[in-house]
Amino acid sequence: MKRYPADNVQMWKEVALLCKAYGLDGIQQEVIICDAPDITTLREMLEGFKQAGNGFKLGFMLNPFSGSAAHFAKFCDNMQDELASHPNVYRLDGHPVMTLYLANSVNTRPPAEWLEWFRPVEKKHGQMIFLADVAFAAPGTVEKLLPYVDGITMYGNWTVEMQRNLFSHVVPAIKKYPHKIFEASVHGIYLAHFGGNGVRPRLLDKLLASWDMTVAAQPDSIVLTNFFDIYENSRILPSYELEDVMLKIARDRMALFTSQPAPRDAWPDFRIVNFTSVMVGKDAAFDVIGFPVHLVNKDFELTLELLAPNGNTVYTFPKFQMNLNEFAIKRLNLSTLPFLDQLALIPRITYKQLDGPSKGSLTGMPTNLVCSMVPHRLFWSRSCKNILGMKSVGKWSLNSTEIGGVSSYPENGTGVIISETTQDSPWVFSAFNTAAEHVRIMRNGLELTSFYRRDLNFSMPISLPNPGAGIDSYHLELENRNGARFATLPVYVDGGKRSGTVPVPVITSDNKIKTVEIGAARIPYFYYPCNKFTGNILHDISGYDHHGNINARFDGGKLDTTGYHYEHTGIAGAGNSTGDPAFELDEDGSGFYRFKGAGFAALMGGTAFPYASTWELEMRVSEYHEQAILSTIQRQLNIAMSEDGHILVSRGNPGTEVQLNSSAASTKEVLLKSLAPLPLNSWNKITVVYDLKKLYFYLNGELQASASIAPTRVHEDLNSVYIGGKATFAVGCEAPYYRGDLRNLRLYGRNLSPDEWL
């Protein structure tokens, strides 16, 4: 990606220059805190936009959760100079524009009450333009809002179906008020907040459908929701390089909206868009797209190959043609079942101008073939325009293991990299894709270290993080100041703790169940012994670094700790200790956590395995009462205790009826119950196993109950796990809380046999 200046003002200047080039007029910032540091950030943004000199604007969205008369007044007082005269504040007819976030919640704050808190502020600071958010408005809401506001806007956080239903009543309603402002939203995020919310995130399908509906509505203006937001897992800007595919699509679609000629490139811009990871058994999706060009001959023939990590071609799709007179897209799908021995599939396209001289090739980034759980919902978008020209294909080795190979983790933890790749024209600074100056060493898609160097011809030792019981992927990258890059194929490092293959039932794209053999080290798991004091961190010793938060009190989108192993942004939200749960020692010196009835621990991001899995924990109680022990939002698995001391285990879909201990397969929810109340004042082992056909519940090694239940795709999303409380949508926990002790919690992404249990 482009390396932005460290100075905040200069960074925002660069942002304004980049966005304006794609037709964006400004950025709207959510206002939550009306004092420093948020006000400082807003001022830095405005100064950066001003220095850009291109008229880029900053708008304000007032958050309702902290919104009040005092909140709004404080914000305007702190920003009074900017609201009065700053040239880069978003204005209509000279008046600052204020978006009322979630303003459609008319039952919470009737629109008439808004006059009580924004009209007095207007009297002090001057007239403002108020737009009410109607993103989730029920039929009739727009009519209730418009007498009190200047128009409507939207906070687009939808599925395609939700947007279609919303527009079916919002668009006719606003068209009855032609003197009011109609700002419509494109759902610019391909993954809705909090882990999915039912959105199936094949990037281009959803994005293009949202654009089509929005342009067809003929609004006065268009807003792209959450375009730069990663806090709530709404990961945007999936491109591998500077020139983001979503920005370029926005430029193309905005031209359609404004009835302007489509922007055209001087030379073809073909791109490969592919998932960063796909679960084995499912189809791998590869989209090839092309943008309009100025060439007289706009017809091209393309071939997409899939490479193994060692560079060998393992599959070739039939050739296809594209006409680049307009935006073109080719959607390709391939079952992963024939490629289970591969750790990844790497796309490569070759293209040739029909009856012309133009030809070229482009190697994309790997789609990792993962087991048990997709670590994150992200995409690569690789462009043929932004690749550094190299003399070789990327020859390099790690501890003498070359591309595609698997190296054992060294005992001393040190690796030696030998790279023998140089550029075609390393000293030509005038061209976009020459003159590299930076090397990045990447581990599992994230930068491990980087340093200044103009080619990939070097040798160096490096300390390697221990992959634990898993497998790490490494590749090298070379980039220049423009963001153009070259990436090598990967080398893998195996922790060596799990050898051989194991049988795993998987669900295929046509919803069939198939048992396959997969390398044992490819199955993710998380293990929390709870035997040592680790502060507010629930310590995962599996090697996947999927640590949890103790005494957590989450606010907002704490899924900024996302996925597992391949992408972590660190422990987020672990605040000061409340003492519940508390770490204690047993008489024999072994550790455990004591839950006192008011606290919980949280395992955020990708934790609750959606399909074949094993759940283990040890618990001890001194009395019976109704309480949650372990819970998940999407009901991947819930463990609770009844008032009379029976353990209850359930799995199913949210809001569905319960089926108790039945042999008939259910697509709804099943509930398993222990044969007797839990023994008091002693440690008891709970084990739950799911094999895609039946759910099994064991207590102290003895089968208590089982029931047939079919797998469901909804379990892939919203997969946080809470220990000690009842999970609530979208991230949170509530009573009845657990009162008792807990230790040896392990979640495994496979249906383990009894001899494999803890």
Side-chain angles (χ1 to χ4, degrees):
M1 67 173 63
K2 180 180 176 64
R3 294 182 177 268
Y4 287 95
D7 179 81
N8 290 340
V9 170
Q10 295 305 307
M11 177 192 72
W12 288 115
K13 175 183 176 181
E14 292 291 321
V15 169
L17 293 171
L18 170 65
C19 292
K20 190 71 173 184
Y22 288 94
L24 276 66
D25 294 321
I27 289 177
Q28 182 171 257
Q29 179 75 14
E30 183 176 357
V31 177
I32 300 176
I33 303 173
C34 294
D35 211 332
D38 282 24
I39 296 297
T40 300
T41 299
L42 295 177
R43 286 176 175 151
E44 290 172 342
M45 294 175 73
L46 285 169
E47 179 59 25
F49 295 171
K50 182 179 179 181
Q51 291 185 21
N54 58 8
F56 202 68
K57 306 298 184 183
L58 176 63
F60 308 106
M61 181 173 68
L62 304 178
N63 185 290
F65 305 113
S66 55
S68 64
H71 174 87
F72 181 50
K74 184 177 182 181
F75 168 71
C76 292
D77 288 345
N78 284 333
M79 294 288 292
Q80 61 179 339
D81 293 340
E82 289 80 7
L83 291 175
S85 60
H86 200 288
N88 294 88
V89 167
Y90 176 40
R91 304 173 192 275
L92 292 174
D93 294 332
H95 309 299
V97 177
M98 300 289 176
T99 291
L100 306 175
Y101 177 37
L102 289 184
N104 55 283
S105 303
V106 293
N107 294 327
T108 303
R109 179 181 288 123
E113 291 186 9
W114 299 343
L115 297 174
E116 300 176 8
W117 57 274
F118 61 65
R119 295 307 184 210
V121 176
E122 280 189 305
K123 186 175 181 179
K124 180 177 181 180
H125 295 284
Q127 182 181 345
M128 300 180 189
I129 302 295
F130 290 93
L131 303 181
D133 164 36
V134 296
F136 300 99
T141 300
V142 171
E143 291 85 346
K144 295 179 182 178
L145 294 172
L146 287 178
Y148 305 98
V149 295
D150 300 291
I152 62 172
T153 185
M154 299 175 184
Y155 182 75
N157 187 11
W158 318 300
T159 63
V160 171
E161 293 74 16
M162 289 169 65
Q163 182 174 357
R164 185 175 294 113
N165 292 336
L166 177 73
F167 277 35
S168 68
H169 63 84
V170 167
V171 174
I174 188 62
K175 293 296 184 181
K176 297 176 183 177
Y177 300 85
H179 60 291
K180 297 285 187 175
I181 298 166
F182 176 25
E183 184 172 79
S185 176
V186 171
H187 190 180
I189 54 179
Y190 60 83
L191 179 59
H193 288 355
F194 307 116
N197 195 22
V199 175
R200 186 72 331 217
R202 184 163 181 172
L203 173 63
L204 296 176
D205 288 355
K206 182 175 184 298
L207 179 66
L208 295 177
S210 186
W211 265 109
D212 289 344
M213 276 187 280
T214 304
V215 171
Q218 298 181 315
D220 299 311
S221 60
I222 292 177
V223 61
L224 308 181
T225 295
N226 283 64
F227 207 81
F228 301 102
D229 183 4
I230 65 170
Y231 178 69
E232 292 173 304
N233 207 23
S234 305
R235 297 307 298 268
I236 320 302
L237 304 180
S239 287
Y240 174 73
E241 63 269 310
L242 166 67
E243 195 169 23
D244 182 78
V245 65
M246 294 177 70
L247 282 173
K248 195 157 186 178
I249 289 173
R251 185 178 69 175
D252 184 87
R253 289 304 188 263
M254 282 300 295
L256 178 64
F257 170 62
T258 57
S259 300
Q260 298 295 315
R264 295 184 179 275
D265 295 315
W267 203 246
D269 180 9
F270 290 112
R271 298 180 180 232
I272 302 172
V273 180
N274 56 302
F275 284 105
T276 59
S277 54
V278 171
M279 201 177 307
V280 296
K282 299 294 185 69
D283 285 354
F286 300 92
D287 292 335
V288 179
I289 62 176
F291 290 91
V293 294
H294 282 295
L295 299 174
V296 174
N297 183 0
K298 300 177 175 63
D299 291 310
F300 286 80
E301 181 181 78
L302 299 94
T303 302
L304 178 66
E305 302 171 90
L306 298 181
L307 311 181
N310 63 5
N312 293 334
T313 299
V314 294
Y315 187 83
T316 302
F317 289 96
K319 293 181 179 181
F320 57 94
Q321 293 184 6
M322 280 187 169
N323 180 281
L324 298 187
N325 187 51
E326 58 186 7
F327 177 80
I329 178 171
K330 178 70 173 180
R331 294 175 171 88
L332 299 165
N333 300 284
L334 185 68
S335 171
T336 57
L337 288 174
F339 309 102
L340 298 181
D341 58 333
Q342 302 294 341
L343 293 172
L345 297 174
I346 298 99
R348 179 174 66 190
I349 59 171
T350 57
Y351 54 91
K352 179 185 181 300
Q353 191 176 29
L354 289 180
D355 301 323
S358 171
K359 59 182 180 180
S361 65
L362 160 64
T363 300
M365 300 299 289
T367 289
N368 296 307
L369 302 186
V370 299
C371 302
S372 309
M373 179 183 294
V374 175
H376 43 60
R377 307 287 190 190
L378 298 179
F379 293 83
W380 299 113
S381 172
R382 195 69 169 108
S383 169
C384 66
K385 293 176 59 178
N386 300 333
I387 298 177
L388 292 176
M390 308 298 290
K391 288 183 179 179
S392 60
V393 295
K395 183 179 179 181
W396 77 288
S397 65
L398 176 59
N399 282 352
S400 300
T401 301
E402 298 184 346
I403 57 172
V406 181
S407 175
S408 298
Y409 183 72
E411 290 185 5
N412 61 6
T414 300
V416 175
I417 293 175
I418 301 175
S419 181
E420 304 173 60
T421 303
T422 57
Q423 276 196 275
D424 278 333
S425 304
W427 312 114
V428 180
F429 282 85
S430 58
F432 180 88
N433 61 346
T434 59
E437 55 187 27
H438 204 82
V439 171
R440 306 171 79 208
I441 300 176
M442 310 296 287
R443 171 182 178 251
N444 298 326
L446 296 178
E447 183 178 295
L448 179 63
T449 188
S450 61
F451 52 91
Y452 177 84
R453 190 174 179 87
R454 290 180 171 174
D455 57 32
L456 285 176
N457 188 12
F458 67 91
S459 301
M460 66 175 292
I462 185 171
S463 295
L464 301 176
N466 194 323
I471 300 176
D472 282 344
S473 170
Y474 287 85
H475 75 271
L476 308 181
E477 293 183 355
L478 184 66
E479 70 173 10
N480 69 9
R481 66 185 63 187
N482 297 315
R485 286 182 182 168
F486 171 79
T488 69
L489 295 176
V491 174
Y492 299 93
V493 176
D494 190 338
K497 295 184 177 180
R498 293 182 291 171
S499 60
T501 63
V502 291
V504 183
V506 299
I507 185 169
T508 62
S509 294
D510 56 358
N511 292 320
K512 294 181 179 179
I513 297 171
K514 182 179 179 65
T515 297
V516 299
E517 287 285 331
I518 289 290
R522 295 172 66 181
I523 309 296
Y525 76 97
F526 318 121
Y527 179 28
Y528 311 88
C530 307
N531 59 351
K532 294 181 180 179
F533 178 68
T534 51
N536 284 355
I537 296 174
L538 190 64
H539 190 216
D540 170 30
I541 68 166
S542 68
Y544 284 87
D545 293 330
H546 194 68
H547 311 295
N549 294 335
I550 297 173
N551 307 310
R553 287 296 179 266
F554 292 99
D555 62 324
K558 289 302 185 188
L559 289 187
D560 49 1
T561 301
T562 59
Y564 64 88
H565 201 43
Y566 299 118
E567 180 175 342
H568 261 296
T569 55
I571 298 298
N576 295 327
S577 174
T578 63
D580 186 6
F583 179 79
E584 298 192 13
L585 295 175
D586 242 335
E587 294 180 356
D588 61 0
S590 58
F592 64 92
Y593 281 98
R594 174 154 290 167
F595 292 75
K596 303 175 183 179
F600 63 91
L603 307 175
M604 304 303 291
T607 307
F609 294 106
Y611 300 117
S613 53
T614 301
W615 307 62
E616 303 171 90
L617 63 85
E618 294 181 26
M619 59 172 293
R620 178 175 62 186
V621 296
S622 59
E623 61 181 7
Y624 299 140
H625 75 100
E626 181 182 349
Q627 58 187 330
I629 301 166
L630 180 147
S631 63
T632 56
I633 297 167
Q634 295 284 56
R635 306 197 68 80
Q636 292 91 340
L637 187 77
N638 282 357
I639 302 175
M641 175 181 282
S642 65
E643 188 176 8
D644 61 1
H646 284 82
I647 298 298
L648 307 175
V649 173
S650 62
R651 177 183 176 90
N653 294 330
T656 56
E657 61 190 55
V658 174
Q659 180 174 301
L660 182 62
N661 293 22
S662 173
S663 60
S666 171
T667 57
K668 296 183 177 179
E669 184 165 36
V670 295
L671 175 66
L672 310 181
K673 184 177 181 180
S674 63
L675 298 174
L678 191 77
L680 294 174
N681 300 312
S682 63
W683 286 105
N684 296 275
K685 171 70 179 297
I686 293 175
T687 307
V688 182
V689 180
Y690 181 54
D691 64 2
L692 296 186
K693 296 180 180 179
K694 297 184 73 173
L695 186 71
Y696 301 86
F697 164 35
Y698 298 84
L699 180 60
N700 296 323
E702 300 294 329
L703 181 65
Q704 303 295 294
S706 65
S708 299
I709 182 168
T712 174
R713 194 214 61 78
V714 73
H715 285 166
E716 294 182 21
D717 301 320
L718 286 172
N719 48 15
S720 299
V721 175
Y722 293 88
I723 302 104
K726 181 180 179 182
T728 60
F729 184 85
V731 283
C733 201
E734 65 183 14
Y737 293 107
Y738 177 48
R739 292 202 302 266
D741 304 332
L742 185 139
R743 67 185 185 189
N744 273 333
L745 171 66
R746 187 173 73 162
L747 288 66
Y748 215 106
R750 180 170 68 87
N751 50 315
L752 300 177
S753 58
D755 61 332
E756 297 174 298
W757 298 347
L758 288 174

